[in-house]
Amino acid sequence: MPILPEDEQVRGGVYLCQTGACVSCGSCCGLYNMQDLSRDRLHAILAERTGSFAGTPRTIDAILAFEQERLKAEGSDFPIPDFHHCVFVGLIQDGGERIGCLLHPLALGNGGVDWRGLSFYGGAACKLFFCPTYDELEPRYKRITREVLDDWYEYGLIIPEHRFLAALLGAVEDRLGSALDPERLSETGRAALAELLRLRLSWPFRDRQAPLAWNFFSTKETHRPALLGPEQAHNPELRQLLHELDTLPEHAEAAQRLLRDLLGRAADAVARK
């Protein structure tokens, strides 16, 4: 798994924000502070913004008018009202498609001019802000996640989930009896871990009333409310994972069986060379 040039420039030694032609995250910009986080809805909004901004004159007044137009069109019914949701997040299409800042000097149409000072956070945010995953997650887990996920939608909703990633990849290591080595993963192992990580988005036993995105930066507490107790999941490791997956108590038994099976399969796939 390649080392990126940006790795030496960020806290924690593993760069996570824009890591490939189709891989990026908009968590710190408030992208996931939305009521409807379905892929179709999110992509439609980002595409509309990108198309509209392409025809926006690059002047202060026009850019600020674009912001007001998007807020009017999209609404402002955010799950966390006091956490800003930036409408200047759009699609970057330069050999792939991923999310990124429409005001960035390298973005199409900006001619090298940095317009990020017109955003809520200003241009310094990209250099100064690092989400909790940078500090809280083991470097090998960060490298594995950014390499095995190849889609911006999945990556952006999963990479901020540092507690989920630590619990899940730690459970795989427990079954292997050794630490995961990002440099020695086979294609089969990579695919198996990617499928396991996607459980955060596809878990059949999750509480559908719980937000799909928890850990974007905000002024609110981002720990999930406890749904399961020791009486429903005796194994602390599995209980933590079920907790991070927002598992409903009435599904605890079936959820544990499925999770044991999926973890075992993933460990077997990683062990095969």
Side-chain angles (χ1 to χ4, degrees):
M1 292 185 176
I3 301 295
L4 298 181
E6 295 88 350
D7 287 345
E8 296 182 357
Q9 304 170 24
V10 297
R11 270 200 333 246
V14 182
Y15 178 65
L16 300 172
C17 304
Q18 297 260 343
T19 66
C22 299
V23 181
S24 60
C25 175
S27 179
C28 62
C29 304
L31 177 61
Y32 312 116
N33 189 19
M34 300 176 68
Q35 297 292 348
D36 183 355
L37 285 175
S38 65
R39 178 190 288 272
D40 288 346
R41 176 61 176 154
L42 199 55
H43 188 273
I45 288 176
L46 293 169
E48 288 172 7
R49 291 177 183 175
T50 305
S52 178
F53 195 71
T56 298
R58 297 312 196 259
T59 67
I60 292 175
D61 288 345
I63 291 172
L64 294 178
F66 166 88
E67 180 180 32
Q68 293 307 307
E69 289 168 4
R70 292 315 309 169
L71 288 171
K72 182 177 179 181
E74 297 173 18
S76 56
D77 182 21
F78 305 129
I80 299 181
D82 56 354
F83 178 49
H84 186 69
H85 172 93
C86 184
V87 298
F88 294 112
V89 181
L91 294 174
I92 306 299
Q93 297 162 316
D94 55 0
E97 181 178 82
R98 65 189 185 280
I99 53 177
C101 179
L102 297 174
L103 302 177
H104 194 281
L106 296 180
L108 187 66
N110 290 344
V113 177
D114 190 347
W115 294 101
R116 289 175 295 177
L118 298 178
S119 70
F120 181 83
Y121 294 112
C126 295
K127 296 180 180 179
L128 300 178
F129 176 76
F130 295 91
C131 74
T133 299
Y134 272 95
D135 294 318
E136 299 296 334
L137 197 61
E138 292 287 342
R140 67 183 182 280
Y141 294 164
K142 289 184 282 190
R143 291 187 61 200
I144 287 170
T145 303
R146 81 176 183 188
E147 293 297 332
V148 304
L149 295 177
D150 57 6
D151 171 76
W152 64 264
Y153 178 77
E154 297 173 344
Y155 179 81
L157 285 168
I158 292 172
I159 193 62
E161 297 286 338
H162 56 92
R163 287 181 287 264
F164 164 71
L165 292 168
L168 189 74
L169 295 174
V172 174
E173 290 181 333
D174 286 345
R175 283 152 180 78
L176 287 171
S178 61
L180 288 164
D181 184 350
E183 302 294 338
R184 301 185 65 183
L185 285 177
S186 65
E187 287 301 314
T188 300
R190 287 163 58 99
L193 290 178
E195 284 302 307
L196 204 58
L197 295 178
R198 293 185 185 112
L199 288 178
R200 180 70 198 97
L201 308 182
S202 62
W203 186 237
F205 304 114
R206 72 181 297 268
D207 179 2
R208 300 296 168 182
Q209 301 304 311
L212 191 59
W214 275 97
N215 285 321
F216 48 79
F217 181 73
S218 74
T219 58
K220 298 290 185 182
E221 175 58 63
T222 60
H223 283 82
R224 289 172 168 77
L227 297 177
L228 301 175
E231 68 281 2
Q232 290 147 327
H234 300 293
N235 184 309
E237 178 184 67
L238 289 182
R239 187 165 65 249
Q240 177 64 26
L241 266 174
L242 295 176
H243 172 70
E244 295 300 332
L245 289 166
D246 300 312
T247 306
L248 288 166
E250 57 264 34
H251 299 310
E253 187 174 341
Q256 287 176 86
R257 288 198 301 269
L258 178 58
L259 197 51
R260 287 192 188 96
D261 180 57
L262 294 174
L263 288 168
R265 291 184 188 183
D268 289 343
V270 170
R272 291 196 301 270
K273 302 300 182 184

